[in-house]
Amino acid sequence: MTTPLFLLRCVQLGLSIRDLDLLTIGMVNDMYVESRNDEHKYAVVATQEDFDRF
């Protein structure tokens, strides 16, 4: 990942330069991936009963 791409991801997440003092590159990457997952519609969502059986 290049520096400009990293900074673009930060802007897309709404992070400021000050926020980056508290976050690692990995944390920012994880936040970006999770933000993209939020938009995905899952066909089946696990319930508590599913977790209990697991």
Side-chain angles (χ1 to χ4, degrees):
M1 174 180 290
T2 63
T3 301
L5 181 58
F6 176 75
L7 293 175
L8 173 63
R9 298 294 185 238
C10 292
V11 169
Q12 290 171 327
L13 290 169
L15 299 173
S16 68
I17 295 295
R18 187 171 294 187
D19 294 332
L20 295 180
D21 286 338
L22 305 172
L23 301 170
T24 65
I25 293 171
M27 292 170 76
V28 172
N29 286 335
D30 289 344
M31 290 169 62
Y32 180 76
V33 169
E34 289 301 322
S35 73
R36 298 298 116 191
N37 286 343
D38 290 344
E39 298 171 2
H40 184 73
K41 302 295 182 207
Y42 293 97
V44 177
V45 178
T47 64
Q48 183 62 48
E49 185 177 303
D50 296 327
F51 281 106
D52 293 342
R53 282 194 312 248
F54 181 71

